[in-house]
Amino acid sequence: MAPGHYFWAIFYFACLCSASLANNAKVNFREKEKKILDQILGAGKYDARIRPSGINGTDGPAVVRVNIFVRSISKIDDVTMEYSVQLTFREQWLDERLKFNDIGGRLKYLTLTEANRVWMPDLFFSNEKEGHFHNIIMPNVYIRIFPYGSVLYSIRISLTLACPMNLKLYPLDRQVCSLRMASYGWTTADLVFLWKEDDPVQVVKNLHLPRFTLEKFLTDYCNSKTNTGEYSCLKVDLLFKREFSYYLIQIYIPCCMLVIVSWVSFWLDQGAVPARVSLGVTTLLTMATQTSGINASLPPVSYTKAIDVWTGVCLTFVFGALLEFALVNYASRSADRAADIQRENMKKKRREMEQVSLDAASDLLDTDSNATFAMLRQCEVHMQAPKRPNCCRTWWSRFPTRQCSRSKRIDVISRITFPLVFALFNLVYWSTYLFREEDED
């Protein structure tokens, strides 16, 4: 056989051997992974009931590092004082019993889906009301075991958590909702939870809430001591700021409009009783309905909220406008009665004066000319022009004090007083609550 034929035969045989070795290596690699799982988790070799040892193999507490990824916050309920959140929860700890050979770096980690195969921290959410795992299409959970014995546990869960709220500044308030995680049975002598050093809490970038804005979040520790010992605890505080634009459009502006509409009554004629009564009653009932609707969306707390002050004062202004018309109507009717009495008195005096004039005329016929001249002189003295009034008296005469003008004066004064007092209230209200909000921050 020629030397060239030998070369090609040897080359072909080498290729077959390398392909066979590669296939065998691939098969052996998967078999090796199975053998490693059986070796470290086999019966009688690993007991999931025993916690891992402490740092550097000591008898100290097992250290578990935690981080969470907030996927969404669906609602923040003011009535039940709770919020719902969906998150990816991760724990990582070191269990030296799970060390294995990584076959020269080719086996990065082992993956499990059964949490009961290895020891798990007994963590629970202390302020949880409801919660569930996600099992579509498969359970959203995995466990990774790394060659040096580190275990990573990740799971996606949805929780409804309690969030005690202080609503004194509602709707100009900020609320802090906490997420608390603690050990249920292991004390700090056996188990310690720590936040992950880098980015312990992550939040999805496009997080949108209907009525709140997530301003920031803070991580902290909240270890608790009970009769059975001290338990490790982690917490993250989520600071939510309430979006005021919604309440400005839905509550504050409509209430302002109702108060201003009630002032239209001051410009109507005092004799238009049906129009003024209908306007006052309608605005009063509308304002009462608005107030009850606002209170229905809030819990019955024992303190006064900022929105209670606003709606209460607006309701008072509307009610005051209705009472103002009652006062105007009373003054008008009093003026009418006084006018009737005055007309009767004038008629009576006119008849008396006519009688006196007749008697005086008959007496004048019997007196002499000197007496007549004296009487005429006296009449001229009484008929002299009055003194010129001063400026203050002229200005005050525009607001006469007769009964017939009191009702008109009440309307004129109300047109000025009500808007000024309401503007002053707005100045005090907004300055007070906005400054209080900054002080609390």
Side-chain angles (χ1 to χ4, degrees), residues 290-307:
Q290 181 86 349
T291 304
S292 62
I294 295 170
N295 293 330
S297 61
L298 292 173
V301 294
S302 59
Y303 48 82
T304 302
K305 304 179 289 293
I307 194 66

Side-chain angles (χ1 to χ4, degrees), residues 68-313:
I68 59 176
F69 175 68
V70 179
R71 293 181 172 271
S72 65
I73 300 176
S74 58
K75 70 172 183 177
I76 301 176
D77 198 335
D78 298 318
V79 178
T80 57
M81 292 193 178
E82 63 186 20
Y83 72 105
S84 299
V85 60
Q86 183 187 126
L87 51 87
T88 298
F89 174 76
R90 304 185 187 97
E91 294 176 309
Q92 192 165 7
W93 64 93
L94 182 64
D95 193 343
E96 296 182 352
R97 297 173 295 175
L98 299 176
K99 290 182 178 180
F100 63 89
N101 185 8
D102 60 355
I103 315 177
R106 300 183 63 184
L107 189 60
K108 295 182 178 180
Y109 54 80
L110 303 174
T111 302
L112 296 177
T113 57
E114 300 176 3
N116 58 355
R117 296 289 301 276
V118 296
W119 176 87
M120 294 292 298
D122 60 342
L123 181 141
F124 77 106
F125 297 92
S126 58
N127 59 333
E128 171 207 352
K129 287 187 175 181
E130 294 179 0
H132 67 273
F133 301 117
H134 293 265
N135 298 318
I136 300 174
I137 299 175
M138 292 292 293
N140 299 165
V141 58
Y142 69 80
I143 299 174
R144 291 177 180 175
I145 303 175
F146 295 89
Y148 52 90
S150 178
V151 181
L152 174 63
Y153 174 72
S154 177
I155 188 171
R156 187 164 73 100
I157 53 179
S158 292
L159 299 169
T160 300
L161 304 168
C163 178
M165 299 181 182
N166 186 352
L167 300 175
K168 289 183 179 180
L169 298 180
Y170 176 91
L172 301 168
D173 58 335
R174 284 178 168 85
Q175 300 298 336
V176 178
C177 295
S178 298
L179 174 64
R180 294 174 176 266
M181 300 163 285
S183 172
Y184 190 81
W186 298 96
T187 62
T188 53
D190 296 310
L191 179 61
V192 173
F193 290 109
L194 297 176
W195 284 112
K196 186 180 177 182
E197 294 180 358
D198 299 329
D199 293 333
V201 178
Q202 299 170 316
V203 181
V204 65
K205 294 182 179 180
N206 57 346
L207 179 64
H208 295 289
L209 298 173
R211 290 185 295 174
F212 288 88
T213 300
L214 179 60
E215 288 193 329
K216 60 182 178 180
F217 52 85
L218 302 172
T219 57
D220 200 359
Y221 296 91
C222 53
N223 292 5
S224 60
K225 293 183 179 180
T226 64
N227 294 333
T228 57
E230 182 180 359
Y231 297 88
S232 183
C233 175
L234 304 177
K235 75 170 182 176
V236 53
D237 292 331
L238 305 174
L239 179 60
F240 296 101
K241 180 182 179 181
R242 198 182 299 272
E243 289 291 344
F244 181 69
S245 57
Y246 168 82
Y247 300 93
L248 179 65
I249 297 173
Q250 297 293 328
I251 297 177
Y252 284 90
I253 292 179
C255 289
C256 258
M257 294 174 64
L258 285 173
V259 173
I260 294 173
V261 167
S262 68
W263 297 342
V264 176
S265 174
F266 305 151
W267 300 88
L268 297 178
D269 186 76
Q270 58 184 2
V273 176
R276 298 187 69 163
V277 170
S278 300
L279 181 63
V281 173
T282 302
T283 53
L284 182 62
L285 292 178
T286 306
M287 190 67 215
T289 304
Q290 181 86 349
T291 304
S292 62
I294 295 170
N295 293 330
S297 61
L298 292 173
V301 294
S302 59
Y303 48 82
T304 302
K305 304 179 289 293
I307 194 66
D308 295 334
V309 176
W310 176 264
T311 55
V313 172

Side-chain angles (χ1 to χ4, degrees), residues 283-346:
T283 53
L284 182 62
L285 292 178
T286 306
M287 190 67 215
T289 304
Q290 181 86 349
T291 304
S292 62
I294 295 170
N295 293 330
S297 61
L298 292 173
V301 294
S302 59
Y303 48 82
T304 302
K305 304 179 289 293
I307 194 66
D308 295 334
V309 176
W310 176 264
T311 55
V313 172
C314 290
L315 188 63
T316 302
F317 270 93
V318 174
F319 184 68
L322 186 60
L323 289 183
E324 188 270 349
F325 170 67
L327 183 60
V328 168
N329 186 263
Y330 174 77
S332 177
R333 287 188 287 107
S334 299
D336 293 339
R337 287 196 299 269
D340 293 339
I341 295 173
Q342 187 175 5
R343 281 195 294 270
E344 291 295 332
N345 293 334
M346 290 295 293

